Each structure stands twice: as structure tokens, then as C-alpha cells.
Amino acid sequence: MKLFNTLTKRKEEFKPVNPNIVNMYSCGPTVYYYAHIGNMRAYLFMDSLRRVLKYNGYTINGVMNITDVGHLTSDEDEGEDKMEVASKRENKSVWEIAKFYTDFFFDQVKQLNIDVPENIVPATSCINDMIEFVKGLMEKGYAYETSKGIYFDVSKFKGYGMLSGTKLEDKLAGARIEVDPEKINPYDFALWIKAPKEHIMQWESPWGMGYPGWHIECSAMGRKYFGNSIDIHTGGIDHKTVHHENEIAQNDALNGKQTVRFWMHCEFLQVDGGKMSKSLNNIYTLEDLKQKGFDPLDFRYFYLNAHYSKKQNFTFDALKSSRISRLRLYDECFKHKIAENKNLDLTHYKQKFEDAINDDLNIPLALSVLWEMVKNEEKAKEVYEMSLTFDKVLGLDIEKYAIEQTKGEIPQEVLSMAELRWEAKKNKNFAYADELRNKIGELGYDILDSKEGYQITKR
Ligand code: AMP
Ligand code: ZN
């Protein structure tokens, strides 16, 4: 199995240190607002990786943090605590905010069939581990105290910048950040922040009352669960230059050795070719898509069509095509389900599928292998069974839909009206076509059109 390692910038053969168990850390959500479909792409990527590892027979020991404290409004430790901002905005306690958006996040993740890590850990449950980590860094001479908090001295860590490939000197030359005169270097980052009285979340520490920096959270949790060796660490691409660079500095400084072996990053989801932003009013959540009549699995199918290392462009047209293809895929699989067993040799499809997923998670290619098999092969039960094997990685619930299809056959009346409607449309008799669509709707069925034809689904 080959994975692209962001650290070495090469595709490398992956093997965990312990032959059967993969220690995997995934940066989790900051729970101060609704998780959007861009965030979901990052977790769908984590899901693909977990499913492919499991397909290859590995057991995973996964950890994901929930950032419920310490992530300031900028990644460079500037601004306010995101949780406190939300608490003021919504007039709720920080704990209520954390609970509400954590529940929302896991609800979304569940609807997308995302396989979640074995250990989900709120940052606030590991404050002592973070304090111990910071103490360790101070003892080793990597950290120092100012009137504002405890800072990591980046000039002491020789490899700083290894992940993003920016040398500290180059960073300093182009520095834009405001220099705190108490810091030794402008890029020193906070490990622990001394809290003013009015700061809501604060804990006792050897340096007085305060709260942890965001980066130390992931390092301390990684250490708590995995000691000084992590096989894979995942996150979104935006974490590469600051958050993960800082994690590496903290981990490797304390452990005196390389801690994370494989770093993997998921590229961004864009909307209509650009960034999602409040001003463009294009930050969608899964709930927004559902309100427009889509199923969460339409988004999952859409996600499967791009490699995680490439930007993916979200449009409603693309989502609509995904919906049609997904439903058609179920139909094709179903035709095989109701056929006899023909003893077909499907090993070359299996081989192609496995080659694709093991080549740095080439999920789009794997999906096309499934299509090729269900379309080209003679109708046979074993094709259906193989599609279920592939679905362990794709997570499209093929079996569930096949069962529903068996139960809910479409009445002849609906089939006939749909056929008439299609004819009417082709003849540009749109008024009659709409009338028929409404009648079909009244009977509880929806019609989705595409270039090649139409699809009937039960509401
Ligand atoms: P946050 O809750 O802001 O820490 O983000 C959670 C995860 O979503 C992180 O791994 C981010 O890198 C990732 N993320 C944020 N926006 C996008 C996007 N537009 N596309 C893909 N991943 C994203
Ligand atoms: Zn993290």
C-alpha cells in the first residue's frame, strides 16, 4: 500500500511500526460553529484512509481531538478564543456551545457514513497532559516564559519548516506578523497562555491561571495515546504551514526523534470555483443540501469522484449528476442481485480495484472499476457480491438500497406515466410533461432527468 507522505513529498510504501496496528491521529473540528461541506471533505478523506487500511487487514487505533478550547481566531495565536467569541455571539456558555456543535458535527459525520476514530477526545479533558508536555519542553530548554505565557523557541528546533519547506530565515524576511517584544523570535508560538480574569475557560498551572495553545493540544493527545511514535497524522491542507509545523516542533523536540512518520493532507473543497466565504454566502452545510432535496450520500458520491490531493469544485449541477449516477449504480447492482450465480471470474476487477485504492487512495479510479464491472459483466449474483466487497471502501450503502429496492418495486402506473412524460418532453410538450410529473409526485415518486434518460425514486 502506497501513500503520499507530505513530509518527504513522495509516495512511499506504508507499513505501521507495529505490524498489525496503525496508530493514526486526525486533527478534529473546532466546535464553535456549524461544520460545512468543506470540513466534511477533510473527514471523508480520513474515512477513505481508514476504510482502505481496514480493507488491507489492519486494525486501527485512531484518535481525533475536539477543539473546545484554545484555538484563537488566527492560527498564529492572535485574536480571541473562538469558543468565547461563539459564546458571546449566541449568549450561551462555552460548554453549551461545545456540546451543541460537537453533536452537530457527529450527526453530519454519521449521515455521511464516515468511519470515526476509536478515540474521540475533547481538548478540555487533557489539560494536565498539555501542562506536562509544556513542562517537558521547558526542562529541555525549548520553551520560555513571558508575561503573556509560555512560548516555543523556534530557533532552537533546527528542523522548523520541514513540512511546508519554508526555511525560518525566509519566513522572517517576509514576516508580516506583529512582533511581541518579549518573544525571542517573531515565529515563536504560544504553548500556554496566561488568562486575564475575564477569560472564561482557564485552569491552574505552574505558570498561574491560563489555557493551552491550540497546537499543543494535538501533540499532547498524540503522546497520551501513542507515546512517541505515530504512524499517520491527517488533516486539511490549511494545517500544513502553521499547525502541523508547530506540532512537529513540539513532538520532535520533546521526544528527541521523529514522532510522526506519515503526514497526509486533504486539499480544499471549493464552491463555484472559488473559496467558500461568508460574503459570497456560499458556505453550505449538509443540512442546506438536504433542504434542496439531496441525500447526504449524494455528497459522498460527489466526494468519491476527486482524488484527495486535488482541489475539488462543488456546484449544484455536479451534485445533481452525482445523485443520478448514485441511483443508477444501485439499479445496476440490483440487476445483478436478482440474477443467478454464473461462476464468473472477477479476479481482474478485484485486482484493479485493489491496485487503485492502494495507490495513494485512488478512489475515483476504484469507483470507475466498480462501474466497469456492473455495466460490462453478464448479470450474475457474484457481481453483486463483489460490489458489496468494494462498497466496504466506498461506503455507499449498496446493500441497504438493494434491500429497499426489493421491497419497494415501482408500480406499473408510475412506470407508464414516467415513460409518457419522457416522450412528451422529447416532443417539447412541456406542459403535459409537467402535469405528469405532478401526478407521479402525488403517488409518492420523484423523477430525475439527465442527458441519457430519467430515474424514478420513491420519496
Ligand atoms: P476546523 O474545524 O476549522 O479546525 O476545520 C476542520 C477541518 O476541516 C480541518 O482539517 C480543515 O483543514 C478542514 N477544512 C476547512 N475548510 C475546508 C475546505 N474548504 N475543504 C476541505 N477541508 C477543509
Ligand atoms: Zn491538530
Side-chain angles (χ1 to χ4, degrees):
M1 175 175 181
K2 283 203 160 65
L3 297 174
F4 184 86
N5 187 349
T6 323
L7 188 61
T8 58
K9 298 168 189 60
R10 276 188 293 117
K11 248 190 231 179
E12 290 176 47
E13 188 63 34
F14 173 75
K15 287 254 178 332
V17 170
N18 175 333
N20 301 315
I21 299 185
V22 179
N23 284 345
M24 176 167 156
Y25 188 94
S26 302
C27 283
T30 308
V31 283
Y32 68 109
Y33 203 55
Y34 297 103
H36 54 64
I37 54 173
N39 301 131
M40 287 302 119
R41 185 181 188 209
Y43 299 105
L44 281 162
F45 154 65
M46 172 194 79
D47 166 89
S48 296
L49 178 56
R50 289 178 55 83
R51 285 171 181 267
V52 171
L53 288 166
K54 285 183 180 176
Y55 188 99
N56 281 284
Y58 290 118
T59 300
I60 305 173
N61 184 16
V63 173
M64 183 168 83
N65 61 297
I66 300 290
T67 300
D68 53 359
V69 62
H71 192 173
L72 304 188
T73 44
S74 116
D75 286 356
E76 281 94 4
D77 300 317
E78 303 290 322
E80 295 171 272
D81 185 318
K82 286 185 175 179
M83 298 300 295
E84 295 212 346
V85 172
S87 158
K88 282 180 209 146
R89 180 186 67 221
E90 297 180 27
N91 209 7
K92 287 182 188 163
S93 76
V94 274
W95 306 101
E96 284 166 338
I97 294 284
K99 165 126 188 39
F100 180 80
Y101 291 113
T102 303
D103 289 350
F104 181 82
F105 174 81
F106 283 107
D107 178 54
Q108 307 287 281
V109 152
K110 185 157 180 247
Q111 293 185 55
L112 285 169
N113 279 346
I114 291 175
D115 184 35
V116 290
E118 289 62 28
N119 306 283
I120 306 290
V121 196
T124 46
S125 72
C126 293
I127 301 293
N128 277 337
D129 303 284
M130 299 182 211
I131 292 175
E132 286 307 312
F133 204 113
V134 178
K135 272 165 66 183
L137 287 174
M138 287 198 91
E139 280 158 22
K140 286 199 153 192
Y142 284 100
Y144 61 93
E145 185 170 0
T146 76
S147 66
K148 296 206 181 72
I150 310 296
Y151 285 84
F152 187 95
D153 180 350
V154 292
S155 62
K156 289 262 167 67
F157 182 68
K158 293 297 164 247
Y160 196 75
M162 63 170 90
L163 190 62
S164 46
T166 38
K167 291 204 184 85
L168 196 52
E169 304 85 74
D170 299 343
K171 271 189 115 173
L172 287 172
R176 278 184 297 119
I177 60 171
E178 207 175 304
V179 182
D180 168 355
E182 283 188 82
K183 281 202 218 172
I184 298 178
N185 312 284
Y187 282 95
D188 291 352
F189 55 90
L191 299 165
W192 185 263
I193 301 157
K194 294 180 182 172
K197 268 207 189 64
E198 64 280 9
H199 198 271
I200 305 164
M201 291 174 131
Q202 47 178 299
W203 292 264
E204 252 176 66
S205 79
W207 318 286
M209 296 300 286
Y211 58 98
W214 171 40
H215 320 295
I216 196 71
E217 165 192 334
C218 293
S219 285
M221 272 183 210
R223 185 177 172 82
K224 178 174 183 171
Y225 284 85
F226 305 127
N228 59 12
S229 169
I230 300 177
D231 293 306
I232 311 177
H233 193 311
T234 69
I237 193 80
D238 55 328
H239 286 170
K240 193 172 129 182
T241 46
V242 178
H243 182 49
H244 290 165
E245 209 70 88
N246 293 353
E247 270 193 58
I248 290 178
Q250 295 164 155
N251 295 340
D252 297 5
L254 189 65
N255 294 328
K257 72 183 230 337
Q258 182 183 342
T259 307
V260 175
R261 294 171 49 242
F262 279 73
W263 283 91
M264 294 186 72
H265 293 97
C266 174
E267 250 296 350
F268 259 40
L269 178 81
Q270 299 189 319
V271 173
D272 296 329
K275 228 182 138 173
M276 269 192 262
S277 79
K278 267 195 196 144
S279 58
L280 293 172
N281 201 18
N282 65 0
I283 303 180
Y284 301 114
T285 64
L286 198 57
E287 296 308 307
D288 297 326
L289 309 190
K290 281 165 68 187
Q291 272 181 10
K292 289 182 191 284
F294 292 98
D295 185 294
L297 293 187
D298 296 332
F299 184 70
R300 186 175 176 98
Y301 190 96
F302 165 82
Y303 154 80
L304 296 174
N305 282 282
H307 192 259
Y308 77 86
S309 65
K310 301 271 181 315
K311 289 192 179 69
Q312 186 174 24
N313 187 32
F314 175 84
T315 63
F316 279 100
D317 278 346
L319 189 63
K320 201 173 159 195
S321 305
S322 293
R323 178 176 179 77
I324 292 168
S325 303
R326 182 177 69 88
L327 297 174
R328 198 167 285 143
L329 179 66
Y330 295 151
D331 270 355
E332 293 297 335
C333 292
F334 185 66
K335 288 178 198 160
H336 291 281
K337 184 182 183 207
I338 54 179
E340 303 277 295
N341 201 313
K342 308 266 172 64
N343 283 327
L344 301 177
D345 180 7
L346 302 172
T347 40
H348 63 291
Y349 292 110
K350 190 160 187 274
Q351 191 58 52
K352 256 172 104 171
F353 183 86
E354 291 174 0
D355 287 349
I357 59 172
N358 288 336
D359 180 18
D360 191 31
L361 316 180
N362 195 341
I363 306 289
L365 183 60
L367 180 62
S368 76
V369 176
L370 170 60
W371 266 109
E372 193 189 328
M373 179 179 76
V374 295
K375 287 282 276 187
N376 296 354
E377 277 305 319
E378 188 187 340
K379 301 293 169 262
K381 182 109 175 162
E382 59 273 30
V383 172
Y384 173 69
E385 274 150 17
M386 188 60 83
S387 73
L388 297 189
T389 303
F390 293 174
D391 201 34
K392 285 186 189 152
V393 171
L394 303 173
L396 289 169
D397 281 347
I398 290 175
E399 187 170 28
K400 183 173 148 208
Y401 279 84
I403 293 167
E404 278 176 16
Q405 233 150 337
T406 323
K407 276 194 262 162
E409 274 179 25
I410 298 162
Q412 191 53 47
E413 188 189 5
V414 174
L415 293 173
S416 310
M417 276 199 281
E419 203 48 42
L420 265 179
R421 178 187 162 273
W422 187 246
E423 284 304 314
K425 234 187 112 168
K426 277 204 291 198
N427 297 329
K428 302 210 179 332
N429 187 351
F430 296 116
Y432 186 42
D434 285 348
E435 192 185 316
L436 285 163
R437 180 199 276 276
N438 290 340
K439 281 198 179 141
I440 292 166
E442 281 163 21
L443 293 170
Y445 293 86
D446 281 323
I447 299 209
L448 270 168
D449 292 334
S450 67
K451 275 191 221 98
E452 302 82 33
Y454 59 90
Q455 181 87 34
I456 311 172
T457 51
K458 204 163 191 255
R459 276 193 185 155

